[in-house]
Amino acid sequence: QVQLQESGPGLVKPSETLSLSCTVSGGSISGYYWSWIRQPAGKGLEWIGRIHFSGYTIYNPSVEGRITVSLDTSTNQFSLKLTSMTAADTAIYYCARETNYDWDYWGQGTLVTVSS
Amino acid sequence: EIVLTQSPATLSLSPGESATLSCRASQSVTTELTWHQQKPGQAPRLLIHNASFRATGIPARFSASGSGTDFILTISRLEPEDFAVYYCQQRSKWPRTFGQGTKVEIK
């Protein structure tokens, strides 16, 4: 059974950089697309970026210029970096696996709060 | 970007009743439309892909249809575990976008 687990700081100061990792277990990171999706408390979902195991990335224009998604096949992890964080970036951040049938496996999510 | 509008925002129903949820796209997404279910404190769960195909393990009481700009998710005979928020999402164009969700609550 594939499992995804996000890890990283729960609190980030304004203007600083968020770094999150997603560890994939029970399956290989190779052969799939991997996404980051976020959800402000009590609100809807926003897809922010995706990486293919080959390294190809695509980002949401809403965060383009601030976001980097990378991948490490040796550790079966992929990562998110989001710079210049503001209160508007406060959200639960999910990592998810994408197949031809869309996001079939999700992490449990990690709450990131931007506050000084 | 493609805007998805879901209606109603909230549906108040009793167990055993049927639910009909709507999702309308601001432009055609052909059948590149997905439905997700989200329960409080949990990650979303894939229900339906390609507009009408149930994901692995999804009960047959969930059905969906539509193409182009108008889509429907039907839940027949609501079970207690079906009370949740349902999101539609398009994968036709970048960026991928979600509707604002429909909450199916117990009446």
Side-chain angles (χ1 to χ4, degrees), chain B residues 3-8 20-26 29 33-35 65-73 87-90 97-100 102:
Chain B
V3 175
L4 299 177
T5 303
Q6 293 187 241
S7 61
T20 301
L21 289 67
S22 173
C23 176
R24 176 163 286 178
S26 59
V29 298
L33 195 286
T34 303
W35 290 93
S65 64
S67 66
T69 61
D70 291 295
F71 300 86
I72 296 287
L73 172 69
Y87 293 95
C88 60
Q89 170 246 319
Q90 64 82 21
T97 51
F98 292 85
Q100 81 280 17
T102 290

Side-chain angles (χ1 to χ4, degrees), chain A residues 69-87:
Chain A
V69 179
S70 58
L71 177 150
D72 186 341
T73 55
S74 67
T75 59
N76 238 31
Q77 290 183 329
F78 65 106
S79 301
L80 166 71
K81 284 195 190 309
L82 193 60
T83 64
S84 304
M85 293 283 283
T86 72

Side-chain angles (χ1 to χ4, degrees), chain A residues 11-52:
Chain A
L11 182 64
V12 177
K13 289 183 169 52
S15 81
E16 291 192 342
T17 296
L18 169 68
S19 295
L20 293 178
S21 291
C22 181
T23 300
V24 180
S25 59
S28 174
I29 206 166
S30 297
Y32 295 98
Y33 295 93
W34 304 91
S35 278
W36 288 97
I37 296 151
R38 66 182 181 181
Q39 184 173 36
K43 296 191 178 178
L45 296 153
E46 180 186 33
W47 168 81
I48 57 173
R50 183 183 88 165
I51 188 165
H52 186 244

